[in-house]
Amino acid sequence: MTAELDLSQYLDLFLRETGEHLGILEREILMLEADHSPERMEIILRSTHTIKASSQTMGFHQIASLTHEMENVLQPAHFSVSNRDALLQAVDSLKWMACEIADGQKSNTDCGLLLSILRGLSKPATLAEVLNRFAKGAEDLCRKLGKEVKVKIEGSDTELDGNLTAAISGPILQLLRNCVDHGIEQPHERLAAEKPRAGQILIKVQRQGDFTKIEVSDDGRGIDVEQIKAKSKVDHLSDSEALQLIFASGFSTKTPANEISGRGIGMDIVRTEIERIGGQIEVKSQPSSGTTFVLTVPSKLDTLQGLLVSIHGGFYLIPVASVLGTVPLAPSPALTNSQNCKTGKNTGQEQSENAYVVIVGSAEQQIGLVVDNLIGEREVVINALNKIRSGVAELSEATIIDVNSLLAGLTTQGRGNT
């Protein structure tokens, strides 16, 4: 007869190592928009896998299931920067579960909605599939909290660009969680206020020309503007100004905190993600009547995978498809005063010690671009004017290099000199 292994002696080690890896995950995932290089993705995957493996050994199956789905989302074939919000929420839930284990409690954290979302993010999904999955998850979460709600969806048959569907999934998820936890009241509270016992959440999608409007509303208690004003400690705030504070990082009126909300994260990420794709978010609320969030986003998103470089203090993005290779450029007296490759004029700036030649073009024609620094590969969202949409300074200021036009210009110059 084999004695059962007593794992309790390893609990402190498990909690300590899990805490360290969760810290790594939070830090690295927050950096994904600025840099989702293979090296950073490897760090995130390694920490996720370590938590999964140790939680399986310790018998914490809910943690193992959540980290398993995170691993799937992080695979290169499925990963998109727009999934960052869902990954951060997963990290937040993992922290909460670790706290429960440390306190000797049986975990009551409901991961059903998050697991469903992460599974959806690891494969392409239509808008209808995403919204129906979100609706079921929100209803399940309400039951977990002792509340009753019916989620209604209008416009789920609206055709949206696949990139847009992925980009708005995280923000819509957070808004639904906000409705469930902050908005919808307990049944006895609703009855006392002469409302139907079950609350209602409405998700409404409308295509309006080049933009799509998505409304997420509830018929709950509404936002307490006076409570926000009191907590902000800012004098003479208007109601509309006070409502905007819910998007401030670290701001929350929820006490005590739970695994869903109350720690001042989430709504700031919603606004950041929506603005990143060139959209905007509005909030309207009436006491005892409910709250409505309105997202207005471009109906189509174009993404570009590019190599971000710096040249003489400016930032440039070279499409990865045009990059044939890079070669370190050793400092040379002849290049102390670099020549501008486009104008041929002396720039008067010294060559960087980290300079590289980026070889771009095709099999038939190549040129080398001298750059001061290779910053790394980036996936960016671009608008119709070929401008980059990003909350990261280096990316928002970057100019996209049109390699085909550059090659065509050089070819024309060459013919003119013959």
Side-chain angles (χ1 to χ4, degrees):
M1 180 176 179
T2 304
E4 186 174 321
L5 180 63
D6 180 13
L7 296 174
S8 60
Q9 59 184 314
Y10 301 110
L11 182 60
D12 287 344
L13 177 62
F14 167 79
L15 291 171
R16 184 169 64 254
E17 290 187 346
T18 297
E20 291 172 357
H21 284 290
L22 287 174
I24 292 171
L25 286 177
E26 186 170 47
R27 181 185 69 244
E28 298 298 323
I29 291 172
L30 281 169
M31 293 292 292
L32 279 177
E33 184 181 4
D35 173 18
H36 59 277
S37 61
E39 293 77 15
R40 173 158 276 117
M41 297 301 296
E42 178 62 27
I43 291 171
I44 295 172
L45 273 167
R46 191 184 308 122
S47 285
T48 303
H49 181 76
T50 299
I51 295 174
K52 183 182 81 168
S54 59
S55 60
Q56 286 174 330
T57 301
M58 296 294 294
F60 300 128
H61 301 298
Q62 196 171 24
I63 293 178
S65 296
L66 190 54
T67 47
H68 174 71
E69 296 303 334
M70 288 174 68
E71 279 187 317
N72 289 338
V73 171
L74 289 163
Q75 296 304 313
H78 307 306
F79 180 72
S80 167
V81 174
S82 60
N83 298 340
R84 187 185 68 164
D85 188 33
L87 290 169
L88 285 172
Q89 290 181 32
V91 171
D92 205 33
S93 291
L94 290 170
K95 285 183 176 180
W96 195 264
M97 285 188 277
C99 287
E100 289 176 325
I101 292 169
D103 291 340
Q105 303 175 19
K106 181 179 179 181
S107 178
N108 292 313
T109 302
D110 186 355
C111 295
L113 180 57
L114 261 179
L115 287 170
S116 176
I117 301 312
L118 291 172
R119 286 169 187 146
L121 292 177
S122 63
K123 61 180 179 65
T126 65
L127 178 65
E129 289 173 332
V130 169
L131 295 184
N132 287 329
R133 187 168 64 245
F134 284 7
K136 183 179 183 304
E139 292 173 352
D140 290 345
L141 184 56
C142 263
R143 283 192 289 271
K144 176 75 174 179
L145 297 174
K147 301 179 180 183
E148 297 178 20
V149 72
K150 179 64 179 176
V151 181
K152 183 180 179 182
I153 303 173
E154 295 181 5
S156 63
D157 58 345
T158 303
E159 292 188 7
L160 292 186
D161 174 78
N163 290 326
L164 177 61
T165 300
I168 64 176
S169 293
I172 291 177
L173 168 62
Q174 181 59 38
L175 293 178
L176 283 173
R177 290 163 69 95
N178 190 79
C179 290
V180 168
D181 199 35
H182 287 272
I184 301 300
E185 312 96 328
Q186 293 288 342
H188 70 274
E189 294 178 290
R190 294 183 62 84
L191 292 173
E194 300 183 345
K195 291 182 175 183
R197 178 183 178 89
Q200 178 170 294
I201 296 174
L202 172 64
I203 307 172
K204 185 176 181 180
V205 184
Q206 291 179 301
R207 184 78 174 262
Q208 298 180 343
D210 292 335
F211 290 88
T212 296
K213 181 176 288 186
I214 302 132
E215 295 184 8
V216 179
S217 59
D218 67 69
D219 67 346
R221 59 173 56 91
I223 298 174
D224 189 337
V225 175
E226 296 306 317
Q227 184 184 14
I228 292 176
K229 290 179 180 179
K231 185 158 187 176
S232 72
K233 299 179 181 179
V234 178
D235 295 332
H236 311 301
L237 276 179
S238 67
D239 288 357
S240 60
E241 288 171 335
L243 282 175
Q244 294 304 309
L245 288 178
I246 68 173
F247 299 109
S249 178
F251 189 89
S252 178
T253 59
K254 180 74 175 181
T255 53
N258 58 28
E259 70 269 20
I260 302 172
S261 60
R263 281 151 287 170
I265 60 173
M267 295 305 294
D268 61 319
I269 295 177
V270 169
R271 183 169 65 178
T272 298
E273 289 299 303
I274 294 302
E275 291 180 348
R276 185 182 71 83
I277 61 174
Q280 61 183 24
I281 182 169
E282 303 173 66
V283 57
K284 298 175 284 187
S285 187
Q286 290 292 329
S288 302
S289 297
T291 301
T292 299
F293 291 94
V294 182
L295 310 179
T296 304
V297 297
S299 295
K300 186 176 186 300
L301 297 182
D302 290 317
T303 61
L304 174 68
Q305 192 78 20
L307 176 64
L308 186 64
V309 302
S310 67
I311 305 174
H312 300 155
F315 296 98
Y316 297 85
L317 195 74
I318 307 172
V320 165
S322 300
V323 177
L324 302 178
T326 60
V327 180
L329 185 62
S332 167
L335 294 174
T336 297
N337 289 319
S338 301
Q339 297 289 322
N340 183 298
C341 65
K342 187 173 181 180
T343 65
K345 295 179 180 179
N346 192 296
T347 64
Q349 297 190 31
E350 293 188 358
Q351 177 193 334
S352 166
E353 293 181 357
N354 301 315
Y356 273 78
V357 175
V358 180
I359 304 169
V360 299
S362 62
E364 294 75 26
Q365 186 180 19
Q366 306 94 34
I367 59 172
L369 302 177
V370 178
V371 304
D372 294 328
N373 284 287
L374 294 179
I375 299 173
E377 286 190 23
R378 303 289 188 271
E379 181 184 54
V380 298
V381 175
I382 56 177
N383 63 16
L385 298 176
N386 217 33
K387 297 294 185 181
I388 298 171
R389 292 284 191 179
S390 176
V392 180
E394 290 86 351
L395 289 177
S396 61
E397 296 169 3
T399 299
I400 299 173
I401 295 179
D402 187 337
V403 174
N404 290 331
S405 296
L406 184 60
L407 290 171
L410 290 174
T411 300
T412 302
Q413 288 180 13
R415 289 174 179 166
N417 292 330
T418 58

